[in-house]
């Protein structure tokens, strides 16, 4: 059920079987094997002990946050460049490159989807 639920959030270029139950199970097993098991602490009853799953969630969340920060930074840089180009076009300084710029912009917009 998890594989079906996350399929709509797939990144482009993933193979068709990426979200199969078998593949998801093997990826999860690999995560469990490569994640360091937290040491159990002796303490009072009712104390919350961190599980392997908690460690995996924290690790994957941190990785995804970094990926998203990188994507945001790249998008902001591209936006600034496009805004600068738009200002130059409006000022008439880029008339000889209009077709080339239009193609660049179209390719960038297509890559977003």
């Amino acid at each position: 059920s998890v594989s079906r639920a996350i399929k709509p959030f797939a990144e482009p270029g993933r193979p068709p079987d990426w979200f199969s139950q078998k593949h998801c199970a093997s990826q999860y097993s690999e995560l469990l094997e490569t994640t360091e098991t937290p040491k159990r602490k002796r303490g009072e009853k009712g104390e919350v002990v961190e599980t392997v799953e908690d460690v995996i969630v924290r690790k994957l969340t941190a990785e995804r946050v970094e990926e998203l920060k990188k994507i945001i930074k790249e998008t902001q840089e591209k936006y600034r460049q496009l805004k600068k180009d738009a200002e130059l076009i409006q000022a008439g300084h880029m008339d000889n490159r209009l077709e080339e710029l239009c193609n660049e912009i179209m390719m960038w917009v297509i890559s977003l989807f």
Side-chain angles (χ1 to χ4, degrees):
S1 64
V2 172
S3 62
R4 282 191 300 267
I6 62 174
K7 194 170 189 173
F9 304 104
E11 296 130 1
R14 293 283 186 201
D17 66 339
W18 182 257
F19 292 101
S20 71
Q21 289 180 349
K22 184 178 179 181
H23 192 264
C24 285
S26 69
Q27 290 291 320
Y28 183 69
S29 293
E30 185 179 325
L31 277 173
L32 287 175
E33 290 171 7
T34 59
T35 302
E36 191 173 313
T37 307
K39 295 179 180 171
R40 294 212 173 244
K41 299 176 185 175
R42 291 185 184 207
E44 299 176 20
K45 280 192 170 182
E47 184 178 331
V48 178
V49 178
E50 188 175 50
T51 64
V52 175
E53 290 83 4
D54 294 332
V55 173
I56 291 171
V57 168
R58 192 170 7 92
K59 175 185 170 191
L60 293 178
T61 300
E63 286 177 8
R64 185 62 179 154
V65 166
E66 288 305 313
E67 287 174 10
L68 292 173
K69 284 181 181 179
K70 181 180 175 188
I71 291 168
I72 289 169
K73 184 178 179 183
E74 290 170 355
T75 304
Q76 288 173 334
E77 289 172 7
K78 186 64 177 177
Y79 171 79
R80 279 189 217 99
Q81 182 60 46
L82 290 173
K83 187 175 178 180
K84 181 180 172 186
D85 289 346
E87 290 168 357
L88 290 172
I89 289 168
Q90 289 174 345
H93 298 297
M94 302 282 279
D95 289 347
N96 58 340
R97 293 192 54 224
L98 284 179
E99 189 173 332
E100 179 186 338
L101 289 171
C102 185
N103 289 336
E104 268 183 47
I105 293 168
M106 291 302 293
M107 294 303 291
W108 179 70
V109 169
I110 290 170
S111 73
L112 293 176
F113 301 101

